[in-house]
Every structure is written in structure tokens, then in C-alpha cells.
Amino acid sequence: WTIEDCADEMEIGLRGRTTDIGRRIFEEATCAQCHKVNGQGGAVGPELADVFHRWKGDRVGVLREILDPSHKIDPKYTVQLVVTTDGEVFTGIVQSEDKSSVTLITNPESPTPTVVKRDDIDEIVKSSVSMMPKALLDRFSKDEVFELLAYLQEVNAATAAGSASAAQ
């Protein structure tokens, strides 16, 4: 799917969607392996409970991030290649770093990070390609893509409503 396939149908495409179906698509598409929604899920990608807030309600912008994840990558989630002095290459997202080491999440399915000592590092190169695979939703129908987007929009609305009532 491309943004052009869906953008013109956005308004009508989001009507009458079901949160349960969207949640199922979120899980089947493996989004939950990397992304949290309300604290549940992986930690490799950004929390999605406020994605519409961050994108100021821009549905097309949010959909673009899903369909073309390398379009714009938040620096916190930039994939980095760490090349060691003995030629090993580790690819992942930097979880933490200090004077003595760099800690990478190299596999979203494995909670165990890879730690590389600074003395062993020859080079660190930032990638322009997201860890999130492009075409992740191509196996789903356009209706299912809209179900997923509607689910995220609903989660965001519930999060915003919860924040507003907590502030009162």
C-alpha cells in the first residue's frame, strides 16, 4: 500500500470501524513487538497512544509513517551499525551508551540487548532505513489498514480524554 492508495478515501475509510478488529490487526501485523500502546508492547519503537497528538491529528501523516517507515525517523529510533575492530557488525537501536560501551537492541523479539565495548568499536554509522519493515501491511486489505488506523485514533482519543479528566 502507498499513501496515494488511501489518502483520498481517509474520511469515509475510517467510518464505522471496530476497535477490536483494529487491535487484532495491530497484533497480527506484529506492531506490538516493537511499539507500546498504553504501556503494553515492545520498546524498540515509539509509544503509539499519543501518535495522533504528536502528529496534530494528521491522519495522512500518521498513515505515511506506517506505510513508509523510513520517510522520517525520530533520532531516538535511528538504526545504527556498529562495526568492531575485528570486523563484526551489529545493527540495532541504541538503548544506552556511556564512555565504556554502547548497548543496542538488535532484535525486537529478544529483550536481551547487545553490549559492545567502546574499545572494540571501529565505527558507528547511522542508517537512513527504519527497523520497521516497509510493506508490513501489504498482506492486509485496505479495509484492514483503515481498521488499524481507526484503532490507533481511538486509543489516542481515549488517552487524551483520560489525560483531560486527570488534569481536572
Side-chain angles (χ1 to χ4, degrees):
W1 295 108
T2 66
I3 196 67
E4 291 78 19
D5 294 329
C6 303
D8 291 344
E9 300 174 40
M10 188 67 66
E11 226 24 72
I12 197 163
L14 290 174
R15 285 190 198 143
R17 298 299 170 180
T18 308
T19 303
D20 290 339
I21 294 172
R23 183 182 308 112
R24 179 182 55 80
I25 301 299
F26 185 80
E27 291 167 7
E28 285 180 16
T30 67
C31 305
Q33 284 183 343
C34 298
H35 295 278
K36 284 186 183 351
V37 171
N38 293 328
Q40 300 293 316
V44 176
E47 163 73 51
L48 297 180
D50 67 345
V51 69
F52 277 89
H53 175 74
R54 288 192 316 263
W55 279 89
K56 297 176 179 39
D58 179 5
R59 296 168 173 165
V60 174
V62 171
L63 185 59
R64 178 175 284 116
E65 294 302 301
I66 295 168
L67 299 179
D68 185 8
S70 295
H71 172 73
K72 180 181 177 186
I73 303 170
D74 183 320
K76 291 186 291 194
Y77 304 104
T78 299
V79 173
Q80 300 198 38
L81 287 79
V82 176
V83 182
T84 65
T85 53
D86 62 358
E88 281 187 282
V89 178
F90 298 97
T91 304
I93 303 214
V94 174
Q95 182 181 44
S96 64
E97 58 185 313
D98 57 30
K99 290 186 273 183
S100 64
S101 66
V102 174
T103 303
L104 297 166
I105 302 294
T106 57
N107 181 352
E109 296 177 22
S110 172
T112 306
T114 300
V115 179
V116 183
K117 292 182 180 174
R118 288 259 184 212
D119 291 343
D120 295 336
I121 296 175
D122 181 41
E123 181 178 25
I124 299 178
V125 179
K126 290 184 180 185
S127 173
S128 61
V129 178
S130 173
M131 186 177 270
M132 182 174 157
K134 187 174 172 125
L136 192 61
L137 298 182
D138 283 0
R139 66 186 171 117
F140 296 97
S141 70
K142 188 185 292 187
D143 276 337
E144 290 171 318
V145 171
F146 283 128
E147 291 284 0
L148 173 63
L149 192 61
Y151 164 67
L152 293 174
Q153 186 172 278
E154 178 63 31
V155 166
N156 278 246
T159 301
S163 296
S165 65
Q168 293 176 355

